Amino acid sequence: MTESSSAQAMPKPGLRELADLCAERNFTVRACRETGDMTLDAFLALQAEKVRRNRRIPPLCDPADLIAAASGLAGRRLGPAFAEGVREALGFGVLCTADHHGGIYCAQTFQGDLFYAALLRKLGYTGRTVPILGAAQVELSSSTFARGICIATDPEEVQLLPLFRRKYRNRMTSQVPPVDRDMIVEFRKSLRTVMRPEMRSALEELIGTVYESDAVLAAESFSAQTTVIGAGLSEHLFSDADTPLLTYLEAEELALPLLLRELREGTSLFARLLGNAQLRKALCTVRTEEGIPLAGHLFGCADEKGRKVFLLLGEDGTLTGTTLEGESLCFPADCDSLIGLLESRTLFPGLYALALLLAFERGFTWMGGVFQSQYLPQWQRLTVRLLESLGLSDEADRIRPYDGSGYLCGPMFALFAGDGFAAPAGPAELWMTRPSFRSLCEQMARTGLWDAHLIGLSWMLPDLTSRDERPDGWYRSVAEELYSMFPENFLK
């Protein structure tokens, strides 16, 4: 046998081999494989203990202002009952931060959001309102596909049905127009490509009931629509009562009033980092494993096409960056200038700024996905090192014990079952089947941790591997194995 024919005869990697490849690429996934016999209920208990430990650390800033901002925004968009629910839920000190407006569209973030609802119950929350922090700086083309709706009824691939036109695909969610009637008309045309009649019918009903509601069409922005759509979907996905009401709020919008006040007062850790030349120099010196200085994660802006531009805070107190077209950008970064640029939405707080404001200063435990569970602990270590080097020992001592390894978005537990194949279920599949939330929670609790990663592989694999590493037909192969391995996780 020749070398080429031998290579052709090699079996394609199956479900477990592909999952092992993901584990090689990410420490969190690898750790979950090593403790894979643990149930998701036991795993949630571990995540809950992380929250409790973080709550015992005296915060640098009172977290009440974030709770008030989130409660106020939810109340303005959805009414006083949602305002009170958000206030109560956030009082437990944990934020779901892995969603990029994708929970109302894709299976991975949606099931992560339900997992977060279960975590809140584990901590003692008895309400229905479940606040989710979306990221306005993530593009519509991200893997969560905020550009449209994802369905799992095709055995060959996740089918992506866009609401937003293709020209918006690389825009941040904060830079797109709201969904309008013309977009809905075009979306309905795309339903002809959906082969399963009951899914076509479900999507018609979903669009007519939720997206064409007066509240959605009257909302002033895509962000506001996301909040209303999430609440509307939540009311129709389950057959029983006492189900979670997913309440999507943009993290950047909630952080903005906190940031503006800190800049005006000038006494917080964040304001001091920006306003002191020595501290700015330190931010430029301390670098992540990818070689990016912490000063490069503080702020960003949009180019003329709504695409994200990263900005670097320099020692001289300016923010600089370069667009994809090579245009150089420069903004003053003194406090007065920053306040104006933030109020006009010319700048937005970057992820490290959000981590400083919400996690390190106010002590909220972030619960994210496989990437966040890696970069947040790294940022914490670097921040402690930076503060210690500058003699800010009290601040360093408060941040040092913070646990940023929280992880919820990745394990999955609910499968849509087709003809000989199964795939992770998202909102569209739940709308079509209307399962009992109680039975879904029981199903979630007894699923093994590593089994949950196998169930979620069809969403995780594209994030952790390149296209040429995935064999032809991998999605169908995975879907067929899921069908035979996990019948107890089918939607019922």
Side-chain angles (χ1 to χ4, degrees):
M1 182 179 294
T2 66
E3 184 176 341
S4 60
S5 61
S6 175
Q8 292 173 356
M10 290 288 289
K12 291 182 178 180
L15 177 68
R16 294 189 183 278
E17 290 80 9
L18 293 172
D20 286 341
L21 180 59
C22 290
E24 291 173 14
R25 300 293 167 80
N26 185 273
F27 172 82
T28 298
V29 179
R30 189 158 61 250
C32 290
R33 181 183 62 183
E34 292 168 0
T35 55
D37 291 338
M38 176 187 296
T39 64
L40 288 184
D41 185 63
F43 182 70
L44 271 183
L46 288 179
Q47 305 308 302
E49 185 54 34
K50 293 177 184 180
V51 178
R52 296 187 186 100
R53 287 199 303 268
N54 284 343
R55 288 182 67 184
R56 291 194 285 267
I57 304 168
L60 291 167
C61 297
D62 189 341
D65 54 1
L66 176 69
I67 295 174
S71 174
L73 184 60
R76 290 190 296 275
R77 291 179 177 176
L78 298 171
F82 279 85
E84 181 55 35
V86 167
R87 182 181 297 110
E88 184 182 353
L90 292 186
F92 287 89
V94 57
L95 304 175
C96 180
T97 52
D99 203 299
H100 308 145
H101 291 311
I104 55 175
Y105 303 116
C106 87
Q108 184 185 57
T109 48
F110 173 73
Q111 292 198 31
D113 296 342
L114 294 181
F115 207 24
Y116 170 66
L119 174 65
L120 285 174
R121 293 194 175 193
K122 184 73 73 175
L123 289 165
Y125 177 57
T126 58
R128 294 182 64 193
T129 306
V130 178
I132 310 291
L133 267 63
Q137 59 196 275
V138 174
E139 294 85 355
L140 287 186
S141 58
S142 77
S143 59
T144 60
F145 198 67
R147 187 181 158 213
I149 296 177
C150 310
I151 61 172
T153 53
D154 187 330
E156 302 298 333
E157 61 184 354
V158 174
Q159 191 170 359
L160 307 176
L161 302 172
L163 273 158
F164 289 93
R165 294 193 294 277
R166 184 174 176 81
K167 71 176 184 177
Y168 293 123
R169 67 189 184 282
N170 292 324
R171 290 194 186 190
M172 294 181 288
T173 59
S174 61
Q175 302 293 313
V176 298
V179 174
D180 59 26
R181 292 189 184 277
D182 289 341
M183 294 162 68
I184 293 172
V185 169
E186 291 303 311
F187 177 84
R188 280 203 164 94
K189 294 177 182 177
S190 72
L191 296 183
R192 292 173 296 190
T193 65
V194 178
M195 300 305 295
R196 200 177 189 96
E198 57 267 44
M199 176 53 82
R200 287 200 303 274
S201 177
L203 289 170
E204 283 278 6
E205 184 185 32
L206 187 161
I207 287 291
T209 303
V210 178
Y211 285 77
E212 286 186 314
S213 69
D214 292 339
V216 169
L217 292 174
E220 75 279 4
S221 66
F222 178 53
S223 170
Q225 286 183 320
T226 301
T227 308
V228 180
I229 290 168
L233 278 174
S234 299
E235 291 280 17
H236 294 87
L237 296 180
F238 301 102
S239 61
D240 47 359
D242 192 30
T243 58
L245 300 173
L246 302 176
T247 307
Y248 296 93
L249 306 168
E250 280 186 355
E252 293 88 347
E253 187 164 2
L254 298 180
L256 183 59
L258 283 57
L259 176 53
L260 291 173
R261 197 189 75 244
E262 290 192 20
L263 291 173
R264 290 188 176 106
E265 294 177 352
T267 57
S268 71
L269 173 61
F270 190 94
R272 287 151 61 199
L273 285 172
L274 297 181
N276 183 287
Q278 183 185 9
L279 299 181
R280 289 197 300 269
K281 181 178 180 180
L283 283 169
C284 291
T285 303
V286 177
R287 294 176 177 269
T288 65
E289 293 172 0
E290 295 76 28
I292 301 172
L294 289 180
H297 288 290
L298 284 166
F299 293 100
C301 68
D303 68 9
E304 61 181 12
K305 294 182 179 179
R307 299 172 300 189
K308 180 167 51 186
V309 179
F310 294 105
L311 300 172
L312 176 68
L313 177 65
E315 296 179 36
D316 61 352
T318 61
L319 287 162
T320 58
T322 306
T323 68
L324 290 175
E325 276 76 26
E327 177 189 358
S328 295
L329 302 176
C330 184
F331 301 97
D334 61 276
C335 283
D336 288 341
S337 297
L338 280 176
I339 288 169
L341 291 165
L342 289 163
E343 286 182 329
S344 67
R345 302 300 201 272
T346 303
L347 300 183
F348 59 81
L351 290 181
Y352 181 59
L354 295 176
L356 280 169
L357 288 163
L358 308 184
F360 302 155
E361 286 190 342
R362 287 165 178 77
F364 284 96
T365 301
W366 279 19
M367 286 287 168
V370 294
F371 298 119
Q372 184 187 289
S373 64
Q374 304 287 278
Y375 67 69
L376 190 61
Q378 183 189 167
W379 287 353
Q380 178 225 15
R381 293 190 298 270
L382 293 175
T383 302
V384 169
R385 186 193 310 167
L386 179 150
L387 296 175
E388 288 176 333
S389 71
L390 296 166
L392 299 174
S393 57
D394 181 60
E395 290 85 348
D397 289 344
R398 301 279 190 98
I399 297 173
R400 184 181 296 105
Y402 178 88
D403 190 338
S405 64
Y407 173 50
L408 290 179
C409 186
M412 299 175 77
F413 45 85
L415 287 165
F416 164 79
D419 301 324
F421 75 95
E429 287 71 42
L430 267 71
W431 189 287
M432 183 172 68
T433 56
R434 305 290 167 86
S436 157
F437 180 66
R438 185 172 185 174
S439 65
L440 195 66
C441 287
E442 293 170 353
Q443 183 174 299
M444 176 200 304
R446 65 175 178 263
T447 299
L449 179 59
W450 188 235
D451 285 346
H453 284 77
L454 297 178
I455 290 170
L457 183 67
S458 51
W459 282 94
M460 183 174 289
L461 190 67
D463 275 343
L464 293 175
T465 62
S466 61
R467 186 183 297 273
D468 59 5
E469 290 178 298
R470 302 190 289 272
D472 293 342
W474 71 269
Y475 183 91
R476 175 151 200 155
S477 176
V478 165
E480 290 172 347
E481 286 196 63
L482 290 176
Y483 184 84
S484 63
M485 290 175 64
F486 299 110
E488 68 277 12
N489 289 92
F490 295 170
L491 290 177
K492 300 176 179 65

